[in-house]
Every structure is written in structure tokens, then in C-alpha cells.
């Protein structure tokens, strides 16, 4: 028993205390150094902070360079695939464009009206600054999800700035270095965002769940209405962390309506494909009623009026078109009816003409038979006269002319 | 005196581990992001454990410490935590090497599982309770499982690589 404990102690001592052949430090000293680094880092020790900033900038840049060959290969592969899917995508885009064009005008009106009403309730945010940044590193750990962008305090990046990808929310800046910044993605489990679920305006907090999904917290499931369509998730603006109305993702409609599925958000943006992102910050508009703001308000109102007029005109044109097409359909129906009537009348006329003809023939035949009884003998051929054979045309003519011979 | 070509080969073999470690940390290609739910594994853990177990001089503690700092910067964890875990893996590997007379892959494999469980628990404790990071337990358990599973595969690959480079000189 004693010797096995000794063996254990010797092995541990050898592993942690003994310096290797080419080791400058023993393991235990480096472990202590790591712990000290951790503790001082947590206490925001100045020297450690400076070391951190320097190391971070060096690592981000070197990581970007190391990743270049692999990025080149992946990009080439993507381009290769794009060429194959080009036609199909083109067709889809064409269809989508048609749909979007029709929605565009209504959207414009809604946005302007929205701005107007938000100004009225003093909740209108305008962009304070906007800058584009390149994603240097998007290599998240299995547990934490963040990206590094190539803009830092040198480019006026500040903590809490919002990161967008084509208008969709990606995350916010959680760490700013001189040349780089770290963005905490909304897919990270530590990210908590106040959101609204539309339609229904249900309020919730969204947390990251997995690489492309989020989960809704602190909301009652029965409040989320199931109206057989995807539900949109947008920022609610509560707590002033994010501006309200930034699209995040959707809750897919599920036929089975499973309880858990109502709380899973599919993000619009694909975080594995981020290359360039927009870094924006918003500020509340100063609602000073000076001449310029009044002019601005008037401009917006004029624009809304113009758009409404355009919308009305389009409505009237659509109505006119509708009426015209209704009249056309009516005329076509009447035309068809009349055509049928003419055809029927023609048939009737034809039938009556046939009857007339038949009647005439019958009348003539009756006259012939009557005269035949009276004058048949005068016209019929026998062995002592040379008159007409019964049934011949000459005989008929003779009978009809009442026995008068015809040469 | 060592033959020149053998020296080159030995140099290659000696620095492959370090090169792989830094490359896997700095490269943005993420084997964990293959689109499978809960699938992830820590290649650096496997690498450090394997090379410290198989080679007496290991990968060098200072480069491992620096690699840990780099890893923390890349993934956004508090600086120093990865270094601590990496160095503790080195310690575990060195301890196993010291107590083992007849090395066997299955024994290494089981010891690696114990090491992973202990070190991930320490990491979870530090992140969760000291730095208030929220870490998904399921994802961490899956990571431990797959890292442990892949150790076997990578062990064969590294052995094969050693034999390929050093030939008969390669000592398991």
C-alpha cells in the first residue's frame, strides 16, 4: 500500500516537476503561470490587458493569413457549384423579383408611415454610423460562437454596436481591440436578445441554441398564435440594447404543431457564410421642432401623400380594368346567346321550308290524282290509240292539262 | 552520427505535431462545423495527449502554453484557460508515460477518457462559475465523447505517419 502511494507520488512529481530534456520550464510552473494569467485577466490587471490586446491583434491577423489557402479552396469550390446552379437560381430569382416588385410599393408606404408614427411617439432611431468590415476569423469553439472583424477602435468601433448581414441581425460587438473586434453571434448561448414575434406582437427573449438556430425564452407558448404560416422574429427594442424591427429569423410552421417547435427560431442569415458585415450604431433622433425638422416632417408627409395618390391611381386603374373585363365577359356571354338563337332560328326556317316543299308536292300530287280520275282515260295509251304510257311524264302533263294533247 | 536524411526526417516528425497544433488553432476550417447537431471534437486535445504520451520530449510546454493563449483568443474564452487545460493534458500524458511499462493503445484510450472527463469538468467549472459563461452540457458531453472516440483513429494515423517518415527508427 505504502509503496504504491510512493509510486504515484514519484510519477506525479516526475510528470509535473521534472523539466524535460529540451524544456525550459517545468509543467507545474507553466500551470501556475496560466492560473495567474486567468486570475489577473479576470481582475482587469492593466499589464495583462495590454498583453491581451497585443496577442489578440497578432493572432487575428496571423489566423487570417493561415486561413487564406483554405478559404481560396472553399471559395473556388463554391464558385464551381455556383456555375452549375446558375440557371436554376436565375429562374428562382426571376420569379422572386416579380413577387417582390409587386410588394415594393406597399412596403415603401408602410415604412414611411412607420417612420412618421415612430417620430410621433418619440421612438425613432437613426443611423449614427455605418461601416463595413471583413470577417477575419469565423472559427467558433464548439461551445462559444463569435467572429472577428477587421475593424477596431481605430475605426471608431464601440462596444455594443450592431452587426448586420444584408439587413439581418448577426450579433453585437463585445470586445474592441485597436485593429480588430469580436462579435458575439446571436447563435451563441450567452446571447440574449429581446424579440417580438409577428403576427401577434408576442414579446420574448431569444437565446442562441445551435449553429443556425435560436430558442425563445420567457414566453408562454399559448400566446404564439398558430395561423398556418411562418412567424417572423424581429428585435423588439426593449431594454434599448437593439433598435426595434431588425429581422432575425422565422419560426417555421409545423403541421404537427409540436410544442417545442414553436420556440425554435431559424435565422435568416447563414453564419457559416459570413464574409463582409455591416457595423452600425443607432441613436435616437433629436425631436427638435426647428425649421429643418419641420421641413423634414413635411417632406415625409408629402412623400406619403404622393405614394398614397399613386396607390389610389393604381387602385382606380385596377378597378377600371376589373369593370372592363366584367363588361367584356358580359358581352361575350350575350354574343354567344345571340349566336345560339340565330342558329336555332335558321334550323326552324329550314324545317318550315322543308314542310312547305312537302306540302306543295302533296298538293300537286292530289291535283294530279283528282284529274287522273277524270281525264286519265283521255290520255292513257291502248291498242286502238297512240296516246301516252301510264306513269310517263307525257301522260302526267296530259292529265294535268285535262286531256289536251300536247305536241 | 545521424545520417543527414534521417536527421531531416526526424526534424519533420518532431515538428509535425507543433505545426498541426498551431495550424488547427489558427485555421478557420472547422471540423466541428460539419452541420451535424452536437457533433464536435477537440483535435488539439488528441494531438497534445498523443504526442506527449509517445514522445518523451513532447511538443514543448512553452509552445503548448502559447498555443493555448492563441486558442483562447480565437474562440473567445478567457485568456489562459486553454493553456491550463492543454498543460494539464501534458501532465496527464506524462504521468501515464511514467507509470506504463508496456504501452497499450486501449489503456491509453481509457486513460484519455478519464483525463477528458476531469479536464472538461474543470473547464466547465471555471467558465460557468467563475466567468459566468453559459456552456451547453449536452454539447460538452458530445465533444468529450467524440474526442475520445477519434483518439483511436488519430492514434492509428499518427502511428502510420511516424512509421512512414522514420521507418524502422520509429519507436512506438
Amino acid at each position: 500500500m505504502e509503496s504504491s502511494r510512493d509510486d504515484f507520488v514519484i510519477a506525479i512529481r516526475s510528470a509535473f516537476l521534472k523539466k524535460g530534456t529540451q524544456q525550459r520550464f517545468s509543467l507545474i510552473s507553466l500551470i501556475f503561470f496560466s492560473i495567474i494569467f486567468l486570475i489577473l485577466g479576470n481582475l482587469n490587471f492593466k499589464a495583462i490587458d495590454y498583453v491581451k490586446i497585443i496577442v489578440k491583434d497578432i493572432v487575428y491577423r496571423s489566423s487570417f493569413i493561415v486561413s487564406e489557402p483554405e478559404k481560396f479552396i472553399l471559395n473556388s469550390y463554391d464558385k464551381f457549384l455556383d456555375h452549375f446552379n446558375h440557371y436554376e437560381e436565375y429562374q428562382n430569382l426571376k420569379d422572386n423579383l416579380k413577387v417582390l416588385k409587386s410588394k415594393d410599393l406597399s412596403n415603401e408606404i408602410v415604412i414611411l408611415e412607420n417612420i412618421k408614427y415612430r417620430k410621433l411617439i418619440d421612438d425613432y432611431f437613426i443611423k449614427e454610423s455605418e461601416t463595413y468590415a471583413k470577417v477575419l476569423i469565423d472559427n467558433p469553439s464548439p461551445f462559444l460562437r463569435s467572429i472577428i472583424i477587421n475593424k477596431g477602435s481605430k475605426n471608431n468601433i464601440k462596444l455594443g454596436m450592431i452587426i448586420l448581414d444584408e439587413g439581418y441581425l448577426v450579433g453585437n460587438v463585445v470586445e474592441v481591440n485597436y485593429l480588430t473586434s469580436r462579435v458575439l453571434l446571436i447563435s451563441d448561448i450567452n446571447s440574449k436578445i429581446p424579440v417580438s414575434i409577428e403576427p401577434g406582437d408576442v414579446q420574448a427573449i431569444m437565446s442562441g441554441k445551435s449553429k443556425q438556430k435560436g430558442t425563445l425564452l420567457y414566453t408562454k407558448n399559448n400566446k404564439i398564435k398558430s395561423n398556418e404560416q411562418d412567424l417572423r422574429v424581429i428585435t423588439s427594442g426593449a431594454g434599448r440594447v437593439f433598435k426595434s424591427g431588425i429581422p432575425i429569423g422565422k419560426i417555421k410552421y409545423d403541421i404537427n404543431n409540436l410544442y417545442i417547435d414553436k420556440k425554435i427560431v431559424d435565422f435568416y442569415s447563414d453564419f457559416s457564410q459570413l464574409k463582409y458585415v455591416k457595423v452600425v450604431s443607432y441613436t435616437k433622433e433629436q425631436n427638435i421642432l426647428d425649421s429643418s425638422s419641420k421641413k423634414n416632417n413635411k417632406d415625409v408627409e408629402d412623400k406619403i401623400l404622393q405614394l398614397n395618390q399613386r396607390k389610389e391611381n393604381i387602385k382606380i386603374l385596377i378597378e377600371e380594368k376589373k369593370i372592363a373585363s366584367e363588361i367584356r365577359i358580359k358581352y361575350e356571354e350575350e354574343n354567344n346567346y345571340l349566336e345560339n338563337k340565330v342558329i336555332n332560328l335558321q334550323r326552324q326556317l329550314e324545317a318550315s321550308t322543308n314542310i312547305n316543299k312537302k306540302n306543295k308536292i302533296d298538293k300537286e300530287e292530289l291535283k294530279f290524282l283528282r284529274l287522273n280520275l277524270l281525264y286519265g282515260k283521255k290520255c292513257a295509251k291502248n291498242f286502238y290509240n297512240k296516246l301516252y304510257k301510264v306513269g310517263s311524264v307525257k301522260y302526267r302533263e296530259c292529265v294535268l292539262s285535262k286531256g289536251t294533247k300536247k305536241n | 552520427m545521424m545520417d543527414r536524411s534521417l536527421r531531416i526526417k526526424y526534424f519533420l516528425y518532431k515538428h509535425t505535431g507543433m505545426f498541426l497544433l498551431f495550424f488547427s488553432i489558427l485555421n478557420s476550417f472547422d471540423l466541428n462545423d460539419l452541420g451535424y447537431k452536437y457533433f464536435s471534437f477537440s483535435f488539439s486535445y488528441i494531438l497534445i495527449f498523443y504526442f506527449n504520451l509517445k514522445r518523451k520530449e513532447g511538443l514543448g510546454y512553452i509552445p503548448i502554453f502559447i498555443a493555448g493563449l492563441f486558442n483562447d483568443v480565437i474562440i473567445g474564452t478567457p485568456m489562459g484557460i486553454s493553456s491550463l487545460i492543454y498543460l494539464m493534458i501534458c501532465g496527464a500524458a506524462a504521468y501515464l508515460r511514467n507509470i506504463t511499462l508496456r504501452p497499450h493503445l486501449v489503456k491509453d484510450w481509457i486513460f484519455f477518457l478519464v483525463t477528458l472527463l476531469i479536464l472538461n469538468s474543470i473547464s466547465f467549472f471555471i467558465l460557468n462559475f467563475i466567468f459566468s459563461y453559459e456552456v451547453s452540457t449536452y454539447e460538452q458531453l458530445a465533444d468529450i465523447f467524440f474526442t475520445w472516440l477519434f483518439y483511436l483513429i488519430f492514434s492509428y494515423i499518427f502511428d502510420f505517419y511516424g512509421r512512414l517518415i522514420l521507418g524502422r527508427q520509429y519507436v512506438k
Side-chain angles (χ1 to χ4, degrees), chain A residues 63 70 182 189-190 211, chain B residues 26-27 32 73 98 134 139:
Chain A
S63 173
E70 165 257 320
R182 178 179 293 279
I189 197 168
N190 295 291
K211 283 148 197 162
Chain B
L26 292 174
N27 199 295
N32 298 319
V73 170
N98 285 341
E134 226 177 292
E139 285 186 10

Side-chain angles (χ1 to χ4, degrees), chain A residues 37 84 89 175 181 244 277 392:
Chain A
F37 209 91
F84 274 95
E89 263 181 35
E175 177 190 297
S181 305
S244 62
V277 288
S392 66

Side-chain angles (χ1 to χ4, degrees), chain A residues 54-71:
Chain A
I54 294 164
V55 171
K56 278 172 186 173
D57 276 332
I58 293 168
V59 171
Y60 295 153
R61 297 280 155 179
S62 46
S63 173
F64 180 67
I65 294 161
V66 170
S67 305
E68 272 306 294
E70 165 257 320
K71 274 183 185 163

